[in-house]
Amino acid sequence: MYKQCFQRKSVRQYMEEPLAAEMLMKVDRIVKKVGLLYNHIPMRIELVENGEKIHAVMSGFLGSYGKIKAPHYLAVISETKEGYHENVGFAVEEAVLKLTELGIGTCWIGGFFDRKLIQNVVEIKKDEKVVVLVAFGKEKRGIWGEGLRTFAGFAKRKKIEEFAFWNDLNGSVVEYMEKHPEWKSIMEAVRVAPSAVNLQPWRFIFREGRIDIYAKSGVSPKISEDSCLYRIDVGIAMQHLSIGCLEEGIEGFFERLACEVFPGHVYISSYVIRR
Ligand SMILES: Cc1cc2nc3c(=O)[nH]c(=O)nc-3n(C[C@H](O)[C@H](O)[C@H](O)COP(=O)(O)O)c2cc1C
């Protein structure tokens, strides 16, 4: 999926026609098989074949985000145990990249849908929540679709040294990346990960034998603190990190350690490298 990390982009304009039944079956198989970050937090991805049902629960134009009218959606439902946001980010991004491989356009939708009304579309149990939606379908290519993306500046990304550090949140990673080009290509895959309002809130502190992963929290008035979209973003970046490591033959695993806490940042997990 390394290649798909770079091919994926948010698609906001879709052809009205639905995907072929065979393709929808493939999507269904993909979403049923995604791997979780935390196996103890049950979550599922439901395919909403009839997109019209979702259009009815999406609220109007807000900021640079409009209604995204797609023929189909994925509804991501999870139990709300500690860590469920990054669990969702990690798992759903696997599906998004596999749909990209099939030539299907996708867009994460974190806000502006009525979280109560959506219960009329998908069934959810008492301790569950619809966390996010993913619009998907055939991309409507043309001046307007592409133009909108460029105009809103959505595709811009931070430089690696703006989100990755050596030993401390101030330590420069430049020299380390020069000495370890494999980590540079891994971080390039992380760099292009999607995030809500393109905030790229993930922070990586490289240390001897591990990388500590943090979320910069409360970074935008556009995102309410309690929606915790930044934790979803970090889960997505962790998926890109693990894909990059696989590509470079670096083995490791995620583990929550007793790491230093920095003001304005939430510690999420560490990637421990197997020697
Ligand atoms: C958790 C999350 C929520 C998002 N919510 C929305 C949304 O509600 N509407 C929208 O148009 N884009 C949404 N996006 C897409 C981002 O704006 C997009 O990923 C970012 O601007 C980077 O652009 P790219 O995906 O084309 O690389 C969301 C992305 C993520 C990861």
Side-chain angles (χ1 to χ4, degrees):
M1 287 188 284
Y2 186 77
K3 211 169 110 194
Q4 281 73 43
C5 289
F6 299 92
Q7 283 172 345
R8 185 218 55 83
K9 62 172 183 183
S10 293
V11 172
R12 297 188 174 86
Q13 304 283 321
Y14 292 89
M15 307 286 282
E16 266 178 44
E17 70 191 82
L19 294 176
E22 215 174 275
M23 199 57 123
L24 283 172
M25 261 159 65
K26 280 188 189 171
V27 173
D28 200 42
R29 274 200 294 272
I30 287 170
V31 301
K32 287 214 167 83
K33 278 205 305 212
V34 292
L36 301 185
L37 184 61
Y38 306 129
N39 284 317
H40 67 280
I41 312 179
M43 62 150 281
R44 66 198 143 85
I45 307 174
E46 287 211 1
L47 200 162
V48 182
E49 208 177 308
N50 177 1
E52 308 251 322
K53 287 188 189 165
I54 296 283
H55 302 164
V57 300
M58 282 175 110
S59 32
F61 202 85
L62 255 161
S64 39
Y65 279 170
K67 264 191 191 185
I68 297 176
K69 280 201 167 181
H72 318 289
Y73 296 83
L74 301 175
V76 183
I77 301 148
S78 175
E79 281 190 18
T80 55
K81 290 184 179 144
E82 162 75 24
Y84 76 95
H85 293 99
E86 53 266 32
N87 196 43
V88 159
F90 185 87
V92 176
E93 184 64 0
E94 179 188 328
V96 163
L97 293 172
K98 286 186 171 159
L99 263 59
T100 305
E101 192 179 5
L102 293 177
I104 298 172
T106 55
C107 189
W108 283 83
I109 301 174
F112 320 133
F113 62 90
D114 192 312
R115 283 169 208 274
K116 277 219 172 77
L117 281 179
I118 201 140
Q119 296 183 30
N120 302 333
V121 183
V122 285
E123 231 175 87
I124 53 172
K125 295 187 209 112
K126 220 177 91 209
D127 47 357
E128 288 181 336
K129 184 180 162 184
V130 179
V131 189
V132 279
L133 302 173
V134 176
F136 74 97
K138 208 178 280 173
E139 181 181 6
K140 189 179 195 174
R141 286 177 206 268
I143 238 174
W144 180 236
E146 271 304 306
L148 188 65
R149 181 176 193 242
T150 324
F151 169 73
F154 282 148
K156 284 196 189 123
R157 292 296 193 275
K158 290 184 193 299
K159 293 188 192 125
I160 292 176
E161 55 270 30
E162 289 176 284
F163 64 82
F165 308 91
W166 173 254
N167 232 8
D168 193 280
L169 267 182
N170 298 315
S172 170
V173 82
V174 175
E175 206 180 306
Y176 183 81
M177 289 287 149
E178 274 165 15
K179 270 197 222 148
H180 301 276
E182 69 280 16
W183 277 110
K184 190 163 187 294
S185 54
I186 293 166
M187 295 320 276
E188 284 294 350
V190 171
R191 191 172 165 258
V192 293
S195 58
V197 225
N198 202 23
L199 283 174
Q200 307 155 68
W202 49 78
R203 299 292 178 267
F204 296 83
I205 303 183
F206 281 76
R207 297 184 191 267
E208 219 46 79
R210 67 167 212 268
I211 305 161
D212 298 336
I213 305 162
Y214 292 83
K216 194 170 189 313
S217 61
V219 277
S220 170
K222 283 188 201 163
I223 292 179
S224 77
E225 188 70 15
D226 61 27
S227 74
C228 279
L229 288 178
Y230 57 89
R231 292 187 78 133
I232 301 180
D233 296 339
V234 176
I236 296 173
M238 287 162 80
Q239 178 63 261
H240 283 228
L241 176 82
S242 80
I243 290 167
C245 288
L246 202 68
E247 179 76 11
E248 290 295 333
I250 294 174
E251 279 184 45
F253 53 91
F254 291 109
E255 190 177 337
R256 276 179 72 88
L257 305 169
C259 279
E260 198 177 339
V261 176
F262 297 99
H265 295 73
V266 180
Y267 170 72
I268 303 289
S269 188
S270 293
Y271 187 75
V272 183
I273 299 153
R274 271 201 191 100
R275 293 283 161 200

